[in-house]
Amino acid sequence: MIEKNVRKILSQLPEGVELVAATKKRSIDEILRAIDAGVKIVGENYVQEAERKYKVIGPRVKWHMIGHLQKNKVKKAVEIFDMIHTVDSFSLAQCISKACARIGKVMPILIEINIGRESQKAGVFPEDVQQLANSIVELPYVRLSGVMSMGPLVDNPEKIRYYFRNVRDIFNRLKSELVMVDYFKYLSLGMSDTYRIAVEEGANMVRIGTAIFGPRQ
Ligand SMILES: *Cc1c(COP(=O)(O)O)cnc(C)c1O
């Protein structure tokens, strides 16, 4: 089933849209099956869980951090991950840059936007994105590569379109101001219920768990 789901999703995604398999709480065996079917990027939410899986699966796939990153986990995180989707403060970006400097790595990062302006959620408010981006581009060992958003919880997936559009507008505005950095190009939006809408609204990276692995136990 996992294999079939991956093949189906990959065949439906337009060219240029990258699939990140959201693998939190999934077993190594399940993840390997997804990889066999064509998954190239694995997205993990917790550093410790990613570390345990990385020891077995290794660098045959790219590892993306899609969960909230605590500063005390950054040192470990920069060793494992190839991209961090969830940067929402300058101090976190700075911490990542410093940890990368020590191991001679430049980390692609995305700014997480709290597009629904929900107080309990991670991410920066839309009006603060520009300023954060301007300060991040000064850091030597991170590479501002795009933006990510979860979007608010909605009862009908169609209601998310408005929020995705707002994220895309912010993304496009930043992109036009950061023309000198050709690596600013990722718009990470959309999960199992919403990835089709996300792609219609310009996402080129979608993070999918349930539609690949089934409902979580
Ligand atoms: C779990 C998760 C996903 C995938 O959610 P599904 O609804 O299972 O597809 C995507 N993004 C993030 C940040 C997640 O934590």
Side-chain angles (χ1 to χ4, degrees), residues 54-122:
Y54 184 85
K55 278 184 182 148
V56 181
I57 299 170
R60 73 181 91 174
V61 281
K62 298 288 184 196
W63 293 78
H64 286 196
M65 177 58 175
I66 63 172
H68 180 68
L69 180 57
Q70 290 168 287
K71 291 201 187 91
N72 63 358
K73 299 278 165 61
V74 164
K75 194 162 170 268
K76 194 92 247 173
V78 300
E79 291 172 10
I80 299 168
F81 291 109
D82 301 290
M83 183 181 282
I84 297 171
H85 288 225
T86 46
V87 174
D88 62 359
S89 71
F90 181 66
S91 61
L92 178 58
Q94 209 171 19
C95 189
I96 294 168
S97 186
K98 280 182 185 158
C100 283
R102 269 188 239 117
I103 60 168
K105 182 169 176 175
V106 176
M107 180 66 73
I109 62 172
L110 308 182
I111 291 178
E112 180 175 1
I113 303 177
N114 183 348
I115 199 65
R117 310 179 96 266
E118 297 168 287
S119 56
Q120 74 285 12
K121 276 212 181 153

Side-chain angles (χ1 to χ4, degrees), residues 22 24 45 66 148 150 191-192 207-210 216:
K24 59 178 174 284
N45 289 63
I66 63 172
M148 174 273 208
M150 298 279 285
M191 318 200 298
S192 292
R207 310 175 311 269
I208 300 178
T210 311
R216 258 174 296 141

